[in-house]
């Protein structure tokens, strides 16, 4: 396998949306209410890409994963019921999804690693993220990837578990 993590292009919205739709169906099948309210949607993906925040994981030329990677901008994170580990610059990622055909290959963890490398390359030593209380798969990935539970944040009126990982430069 030859994986690359790069900025998404507008022409790739339909492929990305297909992956997100698969994830929406999986969340519902798992009994989760996450992503069952019309979010995310193609307009959200289009906005991610227009702002330069949409990223894809590719296997050669095939898009196999998607997420939004944002620098220092998540208004919901200003009000946390709990406490972040740091108050410095941070990367946040949202809408991480893997293609149905590529599940079980550790690709979500691979995306985490790409995001952490991106942060370090940009001299940012904190990655923050959140997920729904019932997204067991993502909660396990946070735990296995060294993220610390920091408290609750709220999106569209619903609580989310918030996590942070403090990174260290390796010289």
């Amino acid at each position: 396998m030859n994986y690359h993590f790069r900025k998404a292009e507008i022409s790739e919205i339909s492929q990305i949306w297909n992956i997100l739709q698969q994830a929406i169906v999986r969340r519902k099948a798992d009994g989760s209410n996450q992503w069952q309210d019309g979010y995310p949607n193609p307009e959200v993906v289009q906005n991610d890409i227009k702002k330069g925040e949409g990223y894809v994981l590719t296997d050669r030329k095939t898009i196999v994963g998607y997420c939004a990677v944002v620098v220092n901008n998540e208004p919901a994170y200003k009000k946390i019921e709990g406490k972040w580990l740091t108050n410095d610059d941070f990367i946040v990622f949202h809408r991480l999804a893997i293609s149905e055909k590529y599940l079980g290959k550790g690709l979500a963890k691979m995306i985490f690693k790409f995001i952490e490398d991106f942060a370090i390359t940009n001299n940012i030593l904190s990655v923050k993220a959140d997920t729904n209380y019932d997204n067991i798969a993502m909660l396990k990935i946070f735990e296995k990837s060294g993220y610390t539970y920091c408290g609750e944040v709220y999106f569209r009126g619903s609580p989310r578990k918030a996590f942070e990982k403090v990174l260290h430069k390796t010289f």
Side-chain angles (χ1 to χ4, degrees), residues 91-125:
I91 299 289
V92 61
F93 64 91
H94 290 301
R95 298 178 280 290
L96 193 151
I98 303 296
S99 169
E100 196 79 23
K101 295 176 186 173
Y102 285 79
L103 292 176
K105 298 179 184 285
L107 299 186
K109 281 184 76 172
M110 184 183 291
I111 289 177
F112 275 46
K113 179 73 171 108
F114 278 120
I115 292 167
E116 291 165 12
D117 290 347
F118 172 84
I120 289 171
T121 299
N122 287 282
N123 293 313
I124 297 172
L125 300 178

Side-chain angles (χ1 to χ4, degrees), residues 3 9 23 33 87 136:
Y3 295 107
E9 299 172 13
N33 65 7
N87 293 312
I136 303 303

Side-chain angles (χ1 to χ4, degrees), residues 47-162:
N47 287 337
D48 288 346
I49 295 170
K50 283 182 176 177
K51 292 189 285 186
E53 298 171 346
Y55 282 78
V56 290
L57 179 68
T58 61
D59 177 10
R60 292 188 174 82
K61 294 187 184 241
T62 303
I63 296 172
V64 300
Y66 175 78
C67 78
V69 179
V70 182
V71 179
N72 285 331
N73 187 15
E74 181 45 74
Y77 286 7
K78 290 178 181 163
K79 292 182 181 179
I80 184 170
E81 291 179 0
K83 187 171 184 351
W84 293 113
L85 301 176
T86 68
N87 293 312
D88 297 324
D89 290 341
F90 65 95
I91 299 289
V92 61
F93 64 91
H94 290 301
R95 298 178 280 290
L96 193 151
I98 303 296
S99 169
E100 196 79 23
K101 295 176 186 173
Y102 285 79
L103 292 176
K105 298 179 184 285
L107 299 186
K109 281 184 76 172
M110 184 183 291
I111 289 177
F112 275 46
K113 179 73 171 108
F114 278 120
I115 292 167
E116 291 165 12
D117 290 347
F118 172 84
I120 289 171
T121 299
N122 287 282
N123 293 313
I124 297 172
L125 300 178
S126 168
V127 178
K128 297 178 180 179
D130 65 87
T131 195
N132 214 49
Y133 276 81
D134 57 12
N135 190 338
I136 303 303
M138 187 61 75
L139 291 169
K140 286 180 182 176
I141 295 169
F142 282 131
E143 183 181 330
K144 290 178 182 176
S145 299
Y147 283 70
T148 300
Y149 173 70
C150 295
E152 286 185 352
V153 293
Y154 288 82
F155 284 93
R156 297 181 316 283
S158 296
R160 300 279 193 264
K161 284 187 148 194

